[in-house]
Amino acid sequence: METIYVNPMKILIIGNGGREHALAWKISQSTKCSQIFVAPGNAGTQLDKNLTNINLTHLDAWLAFALKEQIDLTIVGPEAPLAEGVVDAFQAAGLKIFGPTKAATQLESSKIFAKHFMRRHHIPTATFAEFDNKIAAHEYVNQQNAPIVIKADKLAGGKGVIVAQNINDAHEAIENLLEPDSSILIEEFIEGEEASFIVLSDGKNILPLATSKDHKRLLDEDKGPNTGGMGAYSPAAIVTPEVHARIMREIINPTISGMDKENIPFTGFLYAGVMIDKKGNPKTLEFNCRLGDPETQPLLVRLKSDLLELIESAIDKTLHQAETVWDRRPAVGVVLASKGYPNQPETGFQITQLPDLEEGVQIFHAGTTCQNGQILTSGGRVLCVTAIGDTLKLARQRAYEVAEKISFSGKQMRHDIALKSNSNKIS
Ligand code: AMP
Ligand code: GLY
């Protein structure tokens, strides 16, 4: 029998990407919520009758809205508002909000903070050096071997990292990434296969989500520039039970307990980007203080548990009593992006042929807007077609069948999302 809650909750979700559409879609299935606002949302959240877009894009406006509307819980999708201190501001106003504080968000907003933190807590990661002056950075690179990785010490939407294949490219990357009054990191290149490892934490307790894997490069076969992510799937076969246990023991547990010991407890979604070498040794590439985009899309179509209850449990610090139930079937998300993404996306084109969907297939919107009854592209990543299937291969086929049908001028997509996973061999 379905439980009817006496005081259903009013929820505010901050963000406008595919991750936030998926979050809003999943939260709307909870019997505990009455109304969901998305600020500012996109065409997908606007067209969903269970959701209400509000055209507010700044912290002060979100805060005023949440106070006026007596929002019971705010959930923050992207990193920028977290790094700006949205959680601190809402908490100071006595409002319930889910996400890390500004101080805890440094794990993502400052790669140098994250590197020193990992060093202090013996968390495996690539060796590094940091520079705020170009001459020293160029001299350092001359003494290193390629490939070598250059990273800006700021939020850059996944675009502040250059994996230089030779030393000339490394010099060029220094010129491009080191701005006045900023710093860069120069990192050892580590080889292996990447996975996204995302957990929920209440500051002390940890609840891992299912594993997933992103495809960061723009083009097939991992060619072209890094992007925010061109597609993802869950689960990630590379994360075997042994590797899972090691990531928890060597990376996640020391991070959550280290943050707690340093008096900056981490409450929220913690995402470790990990590189796993041939022997199954995991190393941390980066931390994100939020759910991944597009990893969230396949993850949430697989999550059977009530996400709102899990988030409440994290806020109430009772995550040790919570558990997650996942659909055992894999899911695949394929991103459709605008021409020019990731550098200069061309937008404003009509999206046509959004097909009727079968059970287990979702089109999550990202850079879309409604105008005069039409859906137009409005950002770099436009849609993420996400499908579940009995095998990864079938999930892939179902997602691509729909992704191929959707049309807009300049549409870009990869054709090899989830193609090389080891789990294809068993499916
Ligand atoms: P990050 O934002 O730090 O995760 O970097 C973006 C992407 O660059 C990662 O997903 C990796 O594909 C790649 N990358 C970052 N750091 C390294 C590294 N030290 N070695 C090899 N690849 C890296
Ligand atoms: N998909 C990578 C990220 O969310 O940072």
Side-chain angles (χ1 to χ4, degrees):
M1 201 178 72
E2 196 173 284
T3 313
I4 306 293
Y5 289 90
V6 184
N7 291 315
M9 298 166 73
K10 283 168 94 172
I11 311 283
L12 171 63
I13 294 175
I14 292 175
N16 64 354
R19 165 185 49 212
E20 289 75 31
H21 187 189
L23 268 170
W25 167 82
K26 179 67 189 164
I27 297 277
S28 73
Q29 292 162 18
S30 172
T31 48
K32 294 183 88 174
C33 76
S34 61
Q35 224 179 341
I36 302 172
F37 298 97
V38 191
N42 52 39
T45 52
Q46 186 173 335
L47 294 169
D48 185 330
K49 60 182 184 347
N50 296 316
L51 311 173
T52 307
N53 277 6
I54 48 164
N55 190 20
L56 303 176
T57 52
H58 295 101
L59 205 168
D60 292 346
W62 297 325
L63 187 56
F65 177 84
L67 286 166
K68 181 166 153 279
E69 287 290 331
Q70 300 185 320
I71 295 292
D72 297 295
L73 171 65
T74 299
I75 301 167
V76 189
E79 59 278 19
L82 295 168
E84 201 190 340
V86 67
V87 169
D88 312 60
F90 271 56
Q91 285 175 345
L95 291 166
K96 212 173 184 182
I97 183 162
F98 184 62
T101 58
K102 182 175 180 168
T105 302
Q106 286 179 95
L107 273 181
E108 175 170 4
S109 62
S110 168
K111 288 187 184 286
I112 289 176
F113 172 89
K115 281 292 195 182
H116 285 287
F117 175 86
M118 286 190 265
R119 203 179 254 171
R120 284 196 293 283
H121 296 280
H122 313 289
I123 295 166
T125 187
T127 55
F128 70 100
E130 61 191 85
F131 298 92
D132 58 8
N133 114 35
K134 286 186 180 170
I135 296 169
H138 286 300
E139 273 174 13
Y140 176 80
V141 149
N142 278 334
Q143 292 150 22
Q144 308 300 313
N145 297 317
I148 190 160
V149 185
I150 321 290
K151 298 185 175 184
D153 185 40
K154 62 169 191 187
L155 294 177
K159 288 159 251 163
V161 174
I162 295 176
V163 178
Q165 295 303 330
N166 57 56
I167 295 299
N168 274 349
D169 287 356
H171 287 300
E172 199 182 317
I174 292 169
E175 288 300 316
N176 290 334
L177 293 180
L178 185 49
E179 293 167 352
D181 299 322
S182 73
S183 297
I184 52 166
L185 281 173
I186 303 186
E187 238 180 63
E188 163 204 15
F189 174 82
I190 42 181
E191 270 182 274
E193 187 175 336
E194 274 182 76
S196 306
F197 199 95
I198 308 177
V199 304
L200 252 173
S201 177
D202 63 11
K204 287 192 193 297
N205 304 295
I206 300 164
L207 189 65
L209 303 188
T211 59
S212 57
K213 188 171 156 69
D214 184 16
H215 296 65
K216 291 246 164 66
R217 300 297 190 98
L218 179 69
L219 305 173
D220 285 10
E221 295 181 11
D222 291 333
K223 302 234 165 72
N226 265 329
T227 68
M230 294 299 290
Y233 61 90
S234 170
I238 178 78
V239 187
T240 59
E242 294 73 33
V243 171
H244 193 284
R246 285 194 62 184
I247 294 173
M248 285 300 289
R249 194 170 63 239
E250 296 171 27
I251 299 175
I252 302 294
N253 293 339
T255 301
I256 295 299
S257 69
M259 292 295 277
D260 193 34
K261 278 188 207 128
E262 295 194 11
N263 276 327
I264 31 178
F266 188 97
T267 304
F269 291 105
L270 177 69
Y271 163 154
V274 287
M275 190 73 95
I276 300 148
D277 74 13
K278 286 204 174 84
K279 292 185 180 151
N281 298 308
K283 277 192 181 169
T284 319
L285 289 175
E286 63 163 347
F287 287 117
N288 294 316
C289 293
R290 49 169 176 81
L291 285 165
D293 189 345
E295 291 92 325
T296 302
Q297 291 85 317
L299 279 172
L300 292 189
V301 301
R302 293 190 60 219
L303 181 64
K304 288 186 162 177
S305 317
D306 184 324
L307 181 61
L308 186 51
E309 280 181 8
L310 292 174
I311 288 176
E312 282 199 286
S313 165
I315 293 176
D316 296 342
K317 310 216 173 294
T318 56
L319 217 42
H320 53 293
Q321 294 165 6
E323 57 182 4
T324 48
V325 181
W326 298 93
D327 195 316
R328 59 153 202 89
R329 293 174 297 167
V332 173
V334 177
V335 168
L336 309 186
S338 295
K339 183 177 178 190
Y341 177 73
N343 297 324
Q344 282 188 310
E346 294 172 22
T347 62
F349 301 107
Q350 192 186 349
I351 304 171
T352 53
Q353 280 132 39
L354 279 177
D356 290 336
L357 301 175
E358 293 172 9
E359 179 276 324
V361 185
Q362 294 293 324
I363 300 175
F364 294 115
H365 288 232
T368 62
T369 184
C370 288
Q371 250 178 48
N372 307 323
Q374 295 184 342
I375 305 175
L376 304 182
T377 63
S378 64
R381 290 188 291 177
V382 176
L383 301 166
C384 179
V385 182
T386 308
I388 204 160
D390 282 337
T391 61
L392 196 65
K393 199 170 160 190
L394 284 173
R396 212 182 100 73
Q397 271 172 12
R398 296 181 83 198
Y400 273 108
E401 210 168 286
V402 173
E404 302 278 1
K405 279 190 193 141
I406 298 171
S407 145
F408 57 88
S409 173
K411 179 179 102 174
Q412 301 195 70
M413 69 176 177
R414 280 182 60 156
H415 298 88
D416 62 349
I417 304 300
L419 188 60
K420 287 203 179 139
S421 168
N422 294 332
S423 58
N424 275 329
K425 294 185 188 132
I426 49 168
S427 62

